[in-house]
Amino acid sequence: MDQYGTGRERMVQEQLRRRDITDERVLAVMSEVPRHCFVDDAMRGRAYGDHPLPIGAGQTISQPYIVAYMTQALGLTGSEKVLEIGTGSGYQAAVLSRLCSQVYTVERINSLLAGARKTFDKLRYYNIRAKLDDGTVGWPENGPYDAIIVTAGGPGIPEPLIEQLADPGRLIIPVGNQHVQDLQLLEKKEGQVEIFNLASVRFVDLVGEHGWSK
Ligand code: SAH
């Protein structure tokens, strides 16, 4: 176990199991993926705390519980193709990559994308493809996706993402204003779309053509 292993185990026990994270595959992955590798050296000691952390460029890596919660809501079984919008540090993509067959992730800030790519290489997470773009238009070339996760909050669900979602498929996204959002789960099944409100959350802005303009 690396020197952060104890903190990571405690995180899984106290922040995830004790709440409502019950998917054993998600719990196993959360106890494996080295979250401290996705934050700056100065922040590593706080990597397993019960809170989000700054990752530069005014952005944040979500609290571990939120990462686990959103991941669990996607109900991955191992064979899926998943699209993430908002690579940030790369941590959420890394967690997903251990639970599905291929992750595509899109980030609009170059410095963050470059950092995430470096970490994926270092940890040998080879089933993640990342690109610099406005993710609100999706990544049409590789769709449809069995699951789509948006890790920034927008004013609505971007239409291109609904189009690029497979049937059956699940999409999770924070929707609301620039202060507070509802975490919405959209389920596509037999040609129908249903939307569920899961929780009240606070994310950084989804900026783009189908998001906020700034
Ligand atoms: N999943 C990330 C969380 C990063 S915070 C992690 O695990 O660290 C949200 C990220 O979404 C920010 O990096 C922000 O730059 C990015 N973002 C915001 N709007 C975007 C858009 N339209 N396309 C792609 N990325 C976007």
Side-chain angles (χ1 to χ4, degrees), residues 55 59-62 67 84-93 106-109 112 133-136 151-152 204-208:
I55 54 174
Q59 308 301 318
T60 55
I61 177 175
S62 298
V67 173
E84 178 196 32
I85 310 306
T87 315
S89 68
Y91 178 66
Q92 173 74 74
V106 186
E107 171 57 52
R108 64 182 284 273
I109 299 177
L112 294 175
D133 205 348
D134 169 11
T136 67
T151 61
V204 297
D205 291 349
L206 178 69
V207 178

Side-chain angles (χ1 to χ4, degrees), residues 16-164:
L16 309 184
R17 277 193 195 276
R18 233 176 251 174
R19 293 181 183 141
D20 52 358
I21 307 304
T22 54
D23 183 328
E24 289 297 334
R25 292 181 72 234
V26 173
L27 290 161
V29 166
M30 295 291 295
S31 64
E32 275 166 34
V33 177
R35 180 171 162 96
H36 62 277
C37 295
F38 293 85
V39 300
D40 280 352
D41 288 353
M43 222 86 71
R44 288 194 161 190
R46 301 174 61 207
Y48 296 98
D50 196 11
H51 44 68
L53 283 171
I55 54 174
Q59 308 301 318
T60 55
I61 177 175
S62 298
Q63 178 190 7
Y65 172 69
I66 293 290
V67 173
Y69 184 89
M70 290 176 81
T71 304
Q72 177 169 271
L74 295 177
L76 301 172
T77 63
S79 58
E80 294 86 355
K81 192 158 76 173
V82 179
L83 174 67
E84 178 196 32
I85 310 306
T87 315
S89 68
Y91 178 66
Q92 173 74 74
V95 167
L96 293 166
S97 77
R98 308 296 89 192
L99 293 163
C100 71
S101 80
Q102 181 70 43
V103 176
Y104 295 89
T105 182
V106 186
E107 171 57 52
R108 64 182 284 273
I109 299 177
N110 198 19
S111 58
L112 294 175
L113 183 75
R117 276 187 174 143
K118 246 192 215 161
T119 313
F120 298 150
D121 281 349
K122 182 178 149 211
L123 298 174
R124 303 187 186 174
Y125 291 164
Y126 294 136
N127 63 336
I128 306 173
R129 277 185 59 197
K131 77 159 173 174
L132 187 70
D133 205 348
D134 169 11
T136 67
V137 301
W139 192 338
E141 294 84 350
N142 302 305
Y145 302 94
D146 304 298
I148 300 180
I149 177 169
V150 183
T151 61
I157 307 181
E159 199 54 45
L161 299 184
I162 302 177
E163 279 160 22
Q164 290 165 39

